[in-house]
Amino acid sequence: MPNRSEARGIVLIGAQWGDEGKGKVVDLLAGRCDAVVRFQGGHNAGHTLIHEGRTVVLHLLPSGILSPGVECLIGNGVALYLPQLFEELRSAPASHRQRLFVSPGCPLILPSHIALDQAREKHAGRRRIGTTGRGIGPAYEDRAARRAVRAGELFAPEAFRERLRLAMDLHNFMLKQYYGAETEDPERVADEWLGMAEELRPMMDDIAARLRRLRNEGKSVLFEGAQGVMLDIDHGTYPYVTSSSTVAAGALAGSGARLEHVAEVIGVVKAYTTRVGEGPFPTELKDAAGERLAREGAERGATTGRPRRCGWFDAVAVRHAAQRASINSLCITKLDVLDGLDSLRICVGYRLDGRGIDTLPSSMSRYGDCQPRYEECEGWRESTRGATRWEDLPPPARAYIKRLEELTELKACIISTGPARGQTIIRRHPFAR
Ligand code: GDP
Ligand code: IMO
Ligand code: MG
C-alpha cells in the first residue's frame, strides 16, 4: 500500500514582489523530490538557475527540468505562450520532453494579447503598470471572460479556428479602434498555432490526475510559484500587480491538486527588497545605498532586463504576505549581498497620516502614502558568500536573520548565500523524512 504520510507536497512562493530567488531554491530542492509543478503566471516569470557553472533562465519550464528523473508539470493556471515553451525546450536536451507534462486547460497567450498588453501600457503613459509586455493581463482577462482558447482545443482544428477568430476579432477591434495600433491576422495565427499542435500533443496530460497518482505513490511534489504575494491579483499592491493568484491557494486552483496534498508553504524572501515595474514600494532607496544593493545583487530583471528598484527588508509587507498566502516557513536569499555594510535597516512599521501602523492600510490606494519606520541593525565586514553552515555566519548576520524571523513570526529553513545550488545553508530540509 502506498504510504500517504510520506507524500509531501510543498508550495514555494515569492513573499515579496518577485525575483526572490525561487528558481535557485526550486532547483536545489528538486534533487530531493519527484515532481515540480508550475501553477500560475506565464513567461513573465524569469527564474535563474546555475547549472554546471552556466546561468540558465527559465520562463515557462518548471525549475526541476535540470534535475534528471524529476517530472515537470505545467498546470491549468499557467498562461501558455507556445513559441516560448518550444524555444526553451529547444535549448535543452531532447530527453527533457519526456518529463514534461502540460495541462490541456492552460489558456493560450496569443500574439494579439501581447500587442494589447504593449498598446495599453503605451496608452497609459505615466499611469502604466510597468508590465513585462508578455500579454499576461489580456490572456487572463480572456480566461475570466470565458473567451480564452485553451491548449487542449488545438486538437480540434475547426473549432479552434473559430474560437480563436472570435477572440482575435475583439482584440483587433480594441487594438485598431481604441489604441490605434497594428492588428494581428487571425488566420495566420491559427495556422501557426495549429502547426505547433503535434509537437505539443505528447506532452498533454491530465495534471490533476497525475498529481493524484504521485500522491498515492508516496512521491514528493514541489509547487513552484512565479512572481510574489505582493503582486497577487487580490492581495498585492493593486492595481500594480500581475493578473494571477500568487498565493498558496493558487497552487491548488492552478493544478487541481487536493488541499490536503500541501504539507507546507515556504515563502522565499530576499534579505532586502526589490521590485520591477511601477507601484508603491515604501522601503525603496533612491540613493547610493539603493545603488549599492542593485550593484552587489546584480539586480536586473531576468525577463525584461530592466533595473530592479531596491530597498531595505520590509517586515510589514512580508507579514502581510505570510498571512494572506498561508506561508509557514521562510527561505531567505541573497544574504551575501549585505556583506560589508556598517549597518542595515529593517522596516518594522509604517507612518500614515502622522500615525504609526504595523499593517498595510485597509485600502491599498493609501499604500503609496505609507512611510517606513526603521529599526537599525549592526552590519558585518566578513564575507558570507558561499557559507553552508549557520555557525560560520558572522554573529551580526545571525542576529539579523533572527530579527527577521522574530518580526515575521516565521522560521527560516533555508538561507541562501550565493546563486549556485551549493551556496546554501539548510537548517531544515523541507523534504527530509
Ligand atoms: P526568481 O524569479 O525568484 O527565480 O529570481 P530571479 O532568478 O529572477 O532573481 C534572483 C537572482 O539572484 C538571480 O540572478 C539568481 O542567480 C540570484 N541569486 C539567487 N540566490 C542568490 C544568493 O543567495 N546570493 C546571490 N548573490 N545571488 C542569488
Ligand atoms: P518572477 O517569477 C518580478 C511584475 C511586472 C509588473 C507587474 C505586472 O521572476 O518572480 P505582468 O507582465 O505580469 O502583467 O506585469 O508584475 N512582474 C514581475 N516582477 N518578477 C516576476 O516574475 C514578475 N512577473 C511580473 O514587472 O510590475
Ligand atoms: Mg525572476
Side-chain angles (χ1 to χ4, degrees), residues 250-315:
L252 308 177
S255 71
R258 287 181 68 89
L259 184 57
E260 61 269 30
H261 197 158
V262 178
E264 184 176 351
V265 180
I266 302 177
V268 186
V269 293
K270 279 178 184 161
Y272 50 99
T273 312
T274 64
R275 172 164 206 170
V276 207
E278 307 303 317
F281 176 5
T283 64
E284 180 172 15
L285 292 166
K286 292 180 173 161
D287 57 8
E291 282 163 27
R292 186 196 172 282
L293 288 174
R295 191 178 58 249
E296 298 299 319
E299 296 296 354
R300 242 169 212 291
T303 297
T304 56
R306 291 178 291 175
R308 294 176 182 151
R309 300 153 66 191
C310 298
W312 297 119
F313 188 90
D314 186 338

Side-chain angles (χ1 to χ4, degrees), residues 19-57:
D19 301 328
E20 297 90 348
K22 300 175 292 292
K24 166 194 161 156
V25 182
V26 171
D27 175 53
L28 168 76
L29 297 181
R32 292 270 283 268
C33 72
D34 302 292
V36 177
V37 195
R38 275 282 307 267
F39 54 86
Q40 46 72 229
H43 65 311
N44 49 347
H47 295 182
T48 314
L49 286 55
I50 311 282
H51 185 63
E52 294 169 352
R54 216 162 42 89
T55 299
V56 178
V57 181

Side-chain angles (χ1 to χ4, degrees), residues 160-341:
F160 175 85
R161 223 174 249 287
E162 187 171 334
R163 290 195 18 95
L164 181 130
R165 212 180 283 132
L166 267 176
M168 284 190 62
D169 278 352
L170 181 64
H171 301 163
N172 281 337
F173 177 78
M174 288 191 280
L175 282 168
K176 186 166 173 208
Q177 306 297 329
Y178 194 80
Y179 295 112
E182 295 288 311
T183 57
E184 300 278 345
D185 177 6
E187 299 311 322
R188 181 194 65 78
V189 176
D191 290 342
E192 197 181 329
W193 258 244
L194 287 168
M196 293 186 271
E198 285 316 307
E199 197 173 354
L200 184 66
R201 194 191 287 274
M203 298 171 210
M204 289 277 95
D205 198 16
D206 181 339
I207 299 300
R210 189 166 275 274
L211 285 168
R212 196 166 56 239
R213 254 189 334 266
L214 283 162
R215 181 158 180 268
N216 286 341
E217 289 164 5
K219 301 282 173 62
S220 297
V221 176
L222 185 57
F223 295 86
E224 175 182 10
Q227 291 82 52
V229 179
M230 298 305 279
L231 289 170
D232 181 86
I233 181 78
D234 296 299
H235 304 286
T237 48
Y238 195 89
Y240 297 96
V241 292
T242 189
S243 299
S244 64
S245 284
T246 61
V247 293
L252 308 177
S255 71
R258 287 181 68 89
L259 184 57
E260 61 269 30
H261 197 158
V262 178
E264 184 176 351
V265 180
I266 302 177
V268 186
V269 293
K270 279 178 184 161
Y272 50 99
T273 312
T274 64
R275 172 164 206 170
V276 207
E278 307 303 317
F281 176 5
T283 64
E284 180 172 15
L285 292 166
K286 292 180 173 161
D287 57 8
E291 282 163 27
R292 186 196 172 282
L293 288 174
R295 191 178 58 249
E296 298 299 319
E299 296 296 354
R300 242 169 212 291
T303 297
T304 56
R306 291 178 291 175
R308 294 176 182 151
R309 300 153 66 191
C310 298
W312 297 119
F313 188 90
D314 186 338
V316 188
V318 174
R319 244 181 355 239
H320 169 87
Q323 273 163 14
R324 300 301 179 98
S326 312
I327 291 169
N328 36 38
S329 59
L330 281 187
C331 164
I332 300 176
T333 63
K334 305 192 91 161
L335 180 69
D336 54 297
V337 174
L338 301 178
D339 293 350
L341 289 171

